[in-house]
Structure formats: structure tokens, C-alpha cells
Short mmCIF file of all heavy atoms in Angstrom, two decimals:
data_model
loop_
_atom_site.label_atom_id
_atom_site.label_comp_id
_atom_site.label_asym_id
_atom_site.label_seq_id
_atom_site.Cartn_x
_atom_site.Cartn_y
_atom_site.Cartn_z
N ILE D 225 66.27 81.21 47.79
CA ILE D 225 64.79 81.17 47.72
C ILE D 225 64.47 79.72 47.20
O ILE D 225 64.68 79.43 46.06
CB ILE D 225 64.25 82.19 46.74
CG1 ILE D 225 64.61 83.61 47.17
CG2 ILE D 225 62.72 82.05 46.68
CD1 ILE D 225 64.12 84.75 46.20
N ARG D 226 63.94 78.98 48.15
CA ARG D 226 63.60 77.58 47.83
C ARG D 226 62.09 77.40 47.80
O ARG D 226 61.61 76.37 47.27
CB ARG D 226 64.22 76.56 48.78
CG ARG D 226 65.75 76.56 48.67
CD ARG D 226 66.34 75.47 49.56
NE ARG D 226 67.81 75.34 49.27
CZ ARG D 226 68.68 76.08 49.93
NH1 ARG D 226 68.27 77.03 50.84
NH2 ARG D 226 69.98 75.98 49.69
N ASP D 227 61.32 78.26 48.46
CA ASP D 227 59.88 78.08 48.59
C ASP D 227 59.15 79.32 48.06
O ASP D 227 59.61 80.47 48.27
CB ASP D 227 59.50 77.84 50.04
CG ASP D 227 59.91 76.49 50.54
OD1 ASP D 227 60.14 75.57 49.76
OD2 ASP D 227 60.06 76.42 51.80
N ALA D 228 58.03 79.08 47.45
CA ALA D 228 57.15 80.15 46.93
C ALA D 228 55.71 79.68 46.92
O ALA D 228 55.41 78.49 46.80
CB ALA D 228 57.59 80.61 45.55
N TYR D 229 54.82 80.61 47.07
CA TYR D 229 53.38 80.35 46.98
C TYR D 229 52.81 81.30 45.93
O TYR D 229 53.04 82.49 46.00
CB TYR D 229 52.68 80.62 48.34
CG TYR D 229 51.19 80.74 48.19
CD1 TYR D 229 50.40 79.62 47.86
CD2 TYR D 229 50.59 81.97 48.34
CE1 TYR D 229 49.00 79.80 47.70
CE2 TYR D 229 49.21 82.14 48.19
CZ TYR D 229 48.48 81.04 47.84
OH TYR D 229 47.12 81.20 47.70
N ASP D 230 51.98 80.76 45.03
CA ASP D 230 51.39 81.63 44.01
C ASP D 230 49.89 81.81 44.37
O ASP D 230 49.20 80.81 44.73
CB ASP D 230 51.42 80.91 42.64
CG ASP D 230 52.94 80.78 42.18
OD1 ASP D 230 53.73 81.66 42.62
OD2 ASP D 230 53.23 79.85 41.39
N LYS D 231 49.40 83.01 44.25
CA LYS D 231 48.03 83.31 44.66
C LYS D 231 47.05 82.46 43.88
O LYS D 231 47.14 82.36 42.64
CB LYS D 231 47.77 84.78 44.46
CG LYS D 231 46.50 85.34 45.02
CD LYS D 231 46.37 86.86 44.88
CE LYS D 231 45.08 87.38 45.50
NZ LYS D 231 44.89 88.80 45.25
N ASN D 232 46.03 81.97 44.55
CA ASN D 232 44.96 81.15 43.97
C ASN D 232 43.79 82.00 43.50
O ASN D 232 43.21 81.76 42.44
CB ASN D 232 44.45 80.13 44.94
CG ASN D 232 45.43 78.92 45.15
OD1 ASN D 232 45.00 77.82 45.37
ND2 ASN D 232 46.68 79.22 45.14
N LEU D 233 43.34 82.89 44.39
CA LEU D 233 42.05 83.66 44.18
C LEU D 233 42.43 85.04 43.60
O LEU D 233 42.68 85.97 44.39
CB LEU D 233 41.28 83.76 45.49
CG LEU D 233 40.99 82.44 46.17
CD1 LEU D 233 40.14 82.69 47.42
CD2 LEU D 233 40.26 81.43 45.28
N LEU D 234 42.36 85.18 42.29
CA LEU D 234 42.73 86.47 41.66
C LEU D 234 41.50 87.37 41.65
O LEU D 234 40.38 86.97 41.53
CB LEU D 234 43.25 86.21 40.28
CG LEU D 234 44.47 85.30 40.16
CD1 LEU D 234 44.86 85.13 38.75
CD2 LEU D 234 45.59 85.84 40.97
N ILE D 235 41.78 88.68 41.72
CA ILE D 235 40.77 89.74 41.70
C ILE D 235 40.48 90.18 40.27
O ILE D 235 41.40 90.60 39.60
CB ILE D 235 41.17 90.93 42.54
CG1 ILE D 235 41.42 90.47 44.07
CG2 ILE D 235 40.12 91.99 42.51
CD1 ILE D 235 41.91 91.58 44.93
N PRO D 236 39.29 90.01 39.78
CA PRO D 236 38.96 90.43 38.44
C PRO D 236 39.29 91.95 38.23
O PRO D 236 39.18 92.77 39.14
CB PRO D 236 37.45 90.16 38.29
CG PRO D 236 37.15 89.20 39.33
CD PRO D 236 38.12 89.48 40.47
N ILE D 237 39.67 92.29 37.08
CA ILE D 237 40.05 93.67 36.63
C ILE D 237 41.44 94.03 37.12
O ILE D 237 42.21 94.55 36.35
CB ILE D 237 39.00 94.77 37.13
CG1 ILE D 237 37.61 94.33 36.67
CG2 ILE D 237 39.38 96.08 36.52
CD1 ILE D 237 37.42 94.14 35.21
N ALA D 238 41.70 93.76 38.39
CA ALA D 238 43.06 94.14 38.89
C ALA D 238 44.12 93.11 38.52
O ALA D 238 45.22 93.52 38.12
CB ALA D 238 42.97 94.23 40.44
N GLU D 239 43.80 91.84 38.62
CA GLU D 239 44.77 90.80 38.40
C GLU D 239 44.52 89.89 37.16
O GLU D 239 45.40 89.15 36.76
CB GLU D 239 44.90 89.88 39.68
CG GLU D 239 45.41 90.72 40.84
CD GLU D 239 45.49 89.86 42.16
OE1 GLU D 239 44.51 89.08 42.44
OE2 GLU D 239 46.49 89.94 42.85
N TRP D 240 43.37 90.01 36.64
CA TRP D 240 43.06 89.33 35.40
C TRP D 240 41.86 89.98 34.77
O TRP D 240 41.02 90.64 35.41
CB TRP D 240 42.84 87.84 35.56
CG TRP D 240 41.58 87.48 36.24
CD1 TRP D 240 41.33 87.56 37.64
CD2 TRP D 240 40.38 86.98 35.75
NE1 TRP D 240 40.15 87.15 37.94
CE2 TRP D 240 39.48 86.77 36.84
CE3 TRP D 240 39.91 86.65 34.39
CZ2 TRP D 240 38.19 86.26 36.65
CZ3 TRP D 240 38.62 86.15 34.25
CH2 TRP D 240 37.74 85.98 35.33
N LEU D 241 41.73 89.92 33.46
CA LEU D 241 40.56 90.58 32.76
C LEU D 241 39.66 89.55 32.23
O LEU D 241 39.98 88.74 31.27
CB LEU D 241 41.15 91.35 31.52
CG LEU D 241 41.75 92.74 31.85
CD1 LEU D 241 42.19 93.44 30.59
CD2 LEU D 241 40.75 93.65 32.58
N PRO D 242 38.44 89.47 32.79
CA PRO D 242 37.45 88.55 32.17
C PRO D 242 37.13 89.02 30.80
O PRO D 242 37.05 90.15 30.41
CB PRO D 242 36.19 88.83 33.06
CG PRO D 242 36.71 89.46 34.35
CD PRO D 242 37.95 90.22 33.92
N PHE D 243 36.92 88.01 29.89
CA PHE D 243 36.48 88.17 28.48
C PHE D 243 37.56 88.93 27.67
O PHE D 243 37.21 89.51 26.60
CB PHE D 243 35.21 88.96 28.42
CG PHE D 243 34.08 88.42 29.30
CD1 PHE D 243 33.64 89.25 30.37
CD2 PHE D 243 33.59 87.13 29.20
CE1 PHE D 243 32.67 88.76 31.30
CE2 PHE D 243 32.64 86.64 30.04
CZ PHE D 243 32.16 87.46 31.08
N GLU D 244 38.78 88.98 28.11
CA GLU D 244 39.81 89.63 27.35
C GLU D 244 40.03 89.06 26.00
O GLU D 244 40.26 89.79 24.99
CB GLU D 244 41.17 89.63 28.15
CG GLU D 244 42.30 90.33 27.42
CD GLU D 244 43.61 90.24 28.17
OE1 GLU D 244 43.69 89.43 29.15
OE2 GLU D 244 44.57 90.95 27.80
N ASP D 245 39.97 87.73 25.86
CA ASP D 245 40.18 87.10 24.56
C ASP D 245 39.08 87.46 23.59
O ASP D 245 39.29 87.63 22.43
CB ASP D 245 40.25 85.61 24.76
CG ASP D 245 41.50 85.16 25.49
OD1 ASP D 245 42.49 85.95 25.49
OD2 ASP D 245 41.51 84.06 26.15
N ALA D 246 37.84 87.60 24.09
CA ALA D 246 36.76 87.90 23.21
C ALA D 246 36.65 89.42 22.88
O ALA D 246 36.25 89.74 21.77
CB ALA D 246 35.39 87.51 23.91
N TRP D 247 37.11 90.27 23.80
CA TRP D 247 37.13 91.71 23.54
C TRP D 247 38.50 92.26 23.88
O TRP D 247 38.78 92.79 24.96
CB TRP D 247 36.08 92.39 24.38
CG TRP D 247 34.70 92.07 24.01
CD1 TRP D 247 34.09 92.41 22.85
CD2 TRP D 247 33.73 91.32 24.75
NE1 TRP D 247 32.78 91.98 22.79
CE2 TRP D 247 32.56 91.29 23.95
CE3 TRP D 247 33.79 90.70 25.97
CZ2 TRP D 247 31.42 90.60 24.39
CZ3 TRP D 247 32.65 90.04 26.42
CH2 TRP D 247 31.50 90.00 25.62
N PRO D 248 39.41 92.18 22.90
CA PRO D 248 40.79 92.62 23.11
C PRO D 248 40.87 94.11 23.50
O PRO D 248 41.85 94.60 24.09
CB PRO D 248 41.52 92.39 21.80
CG PRO D 248 40.70 91.28 21.19
CD PRO D 248 39.31 91.55 21.57
N ALA D 249 39.88 94.89 23.13
CA ALA D 249 39.90 96.33 23.44
C ALA D 249 39.91 96.64 24.91
O ALA D 249 40.25 97.67 25.43
CB ALA D 249 38.64 97.04 22.83
N LEU D 250 39.48 95.63 25.75
CA LEU D 250 39.49 95.77 27.21
C LEU D 250 40.89 96.10 27.68
O LEU D 250 41.12 96.89 28.66
CB LEU D 250 38.97 94.51 27.88
CG LEU D 250 37.49 94.25 27.91
CD1 LEU D 250 37.15 92.91 28.49
CD2 LEU D 250 36.79 95.36 28.72
N ARG D 251 41.93 95.47 27.09
CA ARG D 251 43.32 95.68 27.54
C ARG D 251 43.67 97.10 27.35
O ARG D 251 44.35 97.72 28.25
CB ARG D 251 44.20 94.78 26.73
CG ARG D 251 45.67 95.00 26.94
CD ARG D 251 46.14 94.85 28.37
NE ARG D 251 45.72 93.62 29.00
CZ ARG D 251 45.86 93.34 30.26
NH1 ARG D 251 46.46 94.23 31.09
NH2 ARG D 251 45.50 92.20 30.75
N ALA D 252 43.28 97.76 26.23
CA ALA D 252 43.59 99.21 26.02
C ALA D 252 42.87 100.09 27.02
O ALA D 252 43.37 101.09 27.44
CB ALA D 252 43.23 99.59 24.60
N SER D 253 41.66 99.69 27.39
CA SER D 253 40.86 100.49 28.31
C SER D 253 41.34 100.35 29.76
O SER D 253 41.13 101.23 30.57
CB SER D 253 39.41 100.02 28.22
OG SER D 253 38.90 100.23 26.95
N LEU D 254 41.98 99.22 30.07
CA LEU D 254 42.45 98.96 31.45
C LEU D 254 43.93 98.55 31.44
O LEU D 254 44.26 97.45 31.64
CB LEU D 254 41.58 97.84 32.08
CG LEU D 254 40.13 98.10 32.17
CD1 LEU D 254 39.36 96.80 32.46
CD2 LEU D 254 39.82 99.12 33.28
N PRO D 255 44.82 99.59 31.16
CA PRO D 255 46.23 99.22 30.93
C PRO D 255 46.97 98.74 32.11
O PRO D 255 47.98 98.15 32.05
CB PRO D 255 46.77 100.61 30.39
CG PRO D 255 45.84 101.64 30.98
CD PRO D 255 44.48 101.01 30.96
N HIS D 256 46.40 99.06 33.37
CA HIS D 256 47.16 98.65 34.54
C HIS D 256 46.72 97.32 35.11
O HIS D 256 47.23 96.84 36.16
CB HIS D 256 46.85 99.74 35.63
CG HIS D 256 47.50 101.03 35.35
ND1 HIS D 256 48.88 101.21 35.07
CD2 HIS D 256 46.94 102.28 35.17
CE1 HIS D 256 49.10 102.46 34.80
NE2 HIS D 256 47.94 103.15 34.84
N ALA D 257 45.72 96.65 34.45
CA ALA D 257 45.30 95.31 34.91
C ALA D 257 46.41 94.31 34.61
O ALA D 257 47.04 94.39 33.55
CB ALA D 257 44.02 94.94 34.17
N GLN D 258 46.60 93.45 35.55
CA GLN D 258 47.66 92.47 35.45
C GLN D 258 47.16 91.23 34.69
O GLN D 258 45.93 91.05 34.47
CB GLN D 258 48.19 92.04 36.77
CG GLN D 258 48.78 93.15 37.61
CD GLN D 258 50.10 93.63 37.06
OE1 GLN D 258 50.89 92.81 36.54
NE2 GLN D 258 50.36 94.92 37.16
N ARG D 259 48.08 90.34 34.25
CA ARG D 259 47.72 89.10 33.58
C ARG D 259 48.32 87.94 34.38
O ARG D 259 49.25 87.30 33.94
CB ARG D 259 48.26 89.04 32.14
CG ARG D 259 47.47 89.95 31.20
CD ARG D 259 48.13 89.87 29.83
NE ARG D 259 47.30 90.52 28.81
CZ ARG D 259 47.70 90.66 27.52
NH1 ARG D 259 48.86 90.18 27.12
NH2 ARG D 259 46.89 91.23 26.64
N PHE D 260 47.84 87.76 35.58
CA PHE D 260 48.34 86.69 36.41
C PHE D 260 47.64 85.35 36.18
O PHE D 260 46.46 85.34 35.78
CB PHE D 260 48.16 87.08 37.92
CG PHE D 260 49.09 88.16 38.41
CD1 PHE D 260 48.62 89.17 39.26
CD2 PHE D 260 50.40 88.23 37.99
CE1 PHE D 260 49.48 90.20 39.68
CE2 PHE D 260 51.25 89.25 38.41
CZ PHE D 260 50.80 90.23 39.28
N ARG D 261 48.38 84.29 36.43
CA ARG D 261 47.85 82.97 36.37
C ARG D 261 47.40 82.57 37.79
O ARG D 261 48.19 82.72 38.73
CB ARG D 261 48.81 81.91 35.81
CG ARG D 261 48.27 80.50 35.76
CD ARG D 261 49.38 79.53 35.53
NE ARG D 261 50.34 79.49 36.61
CZ ARG D 261 50.23 78.74 37.72
NH1 ARG D 261 49.19 77.94 37.84
NH2 ARG D 261 51.18 78.73 38.64
N ALA D 262 46.19 81.95 37.94
CA ALA D 262 45.72 81.50 39.27
C ALA D 262 46.34 80.13 39.46
O ALA D 262 46.18 79.19 38.68
CB ALA D 262 44.28 81.46 39.28
N SER D 263 46.97 79.94 40.61
CA SER D 263 47.45 78.62 41.03
C SER D 263 46.35 77.80 41.68
O SER D 263 45.35 78.34 42.18
CB SER D 263 48.65 78.76 41.92
OG SER D 263 49.09 77.49 42.36
N ARG D 264 46.59 76.51 41.87
CA ARG D 264 45.67 75.60 42.61
C ARG D 264 46.41 74.93 43.72
O ARG D 264 45.79 74.13 44.42
CB ARG D 264 45.06 74.59 41.63
CG ARG D 264 44.18 75.20 40.57
CD ARG D 264 43.49 74.06 39.75
NE ARG D 264 42.61 74.64 38.74
CZ ARG D 264 41.95 73.93 37.85
NH1 ARG D 264 42.05 72.57 37.85
NH2 ARG D 264 41.17 74.49 36.98
N GLU D 265 47.59 75.34 43.94
CA GLU D 265 48.39 74.68 44.98
C GLU D 265 48.57 75.66 46.14
O GLU D 265 48.69 76.84 45.99
CB GLU D 265 49.76 74.29 44.42
CG GLU D 265 49.70 73.25 43.31
CD GLU D 265 51.03 72.82 42.73
OE1 GLU D 265 52.06 73.55 43.10
OE2 GLU D 265 51.10 71.87 42.01
N THR D 266 48.74 75.09 47.39
CA THR D 266 48.79 75.91 48.55
C THR D 266 49.95 75.42 49.42
O THR D 266 49.73 75.03 50.62
CB THR D 266 47.49 75.93 49.42
OG1 THR D 266 47.12 74.58 49.67
CG2 THR D 266 46.41 76.57 48.59
N PRO D 267 51.18 75.45 49.01
CA PRO D 267 52.29 74.92 49.81
C PRO D 267 52.59 75.83 50.88
O PRO D 267 52.45 77.07 50.86
CB PRO D 267 53.43 74.83 48.77
CG PRO D 267 53.11 75.94 47.77
CD PRO D 267 51.64 75.95 47.67
N ALA D 268 53.22 75.29 51.96
CA ALA D 268 53.75 76.07 53.06
C ALA D 268 55.17 76.64 52.70
O ALA D 268 55.87 76.00 51.91
CB ALA D 268 53.88 75.27 54.33
N LEU D 269 55.51 77.84 53.16
CA LEU D 269 56.90 78.29 53.04
C LEU D 269 57.55 77.84 54.34
O LEU D 269 57.07 78.15 55.48
CB LEU D 269 56.91 79.83 52.92
CG LEU D 269 56.06 80.38 51.72
CD1 LEU D 269 56.36 81.84 51.57
CD2 LEU D 269 56.28 79.66 50.49
N ARG D 270 58.69 77.23 54.23
CA ARG D 270 59.29 76.59 55.41
C ARG D 270 60.55 77.30 55.90
O ARG D 270 61.42 77.61 55.06
CB ARG D 270 59.63 75.11 55.08
CG ARG D 270 58.45 74.28 54.74
CD ARG D 270 58.78 73.04 53.96
NE ARG D 270 59.36 73.44 52.63
CZ ARG D 270 59.86 72.57 51.79
NH1 ARG D 270 59.99 71.29 52.06
NH2 ARG D 270 60.33 72.96 50.65
N LEU D 271 60.60 77.57 57.22
CA LEU D 271 61.73 78.20 57.81
C LEU D 271 61.99 77.48 59.13
O LEU D 271 61.35 77.69 60.11
CB LEU D 271 61.52 79.66 58.07
CG LEU D 271 62.62 80.42 58.76
CD1 LEU D 271 63.88 80.49 57.89
CD2 LEU D 271 62.19 81.85 59.13
N GLY D 272 62.96 76.55 59.13
CA GLY D 272 63.18 75.79 60.37
C GLY D 272 61.92 74.99 60.74
O GLY D 272 61.41 74.21 59.93
#
């Protein structure tokens, strides 16, 4: 595995929690929400 692309546009609630730092109780209320980092790069995955 030499190439990877990280998602740029994350979906609120599902992939990140808005205001989580201000209201930590959100994490307990939404245990399945992910904590992904949004990338700003859009590289190609290369195969031949």
C-alpha cells in the first residue's frame, strides 16, 4: 500500500461531533459518532 486518500468533507454527527469540546456530554449521548480528521489534500491513487 503506497497510496491513500483521506476524506475531506466529513459528515457532522456521523464522522465528527460539532461543539464536542464545549459539551463533552455529547460523546456519551452519541457513542457511535467517529472522531475523524478532515484532510485538505486530494491525491490520486495510482495503478499503472
Side-chain angles (χ1 to χ4, degrees):
I225 301 175
R226 294 186 175 86
D227 290 336
Y229 162 72
D230 298 332
K231 190 176 182 183
N232 284 214
L233 307 180
L234 301 181
I235 299 175
I237 308 301
E239 295 178 315
W240 68 285
L241 282 180
F243 314 115
E244 180 183 10
D245 293 337
W247 290 293
L250 283 174
R251 173 57 53 185
S253 302
L254 299 164
H256 296 300
Q258 299 290 324
R259 287 179 171 176
F260 289 139
R261 178 194 66 87
S263 177
R264 295 183 179 181
E265 299 178 349
T266 56
L269 307 189
R270 297 159 297 174
L271 178 66

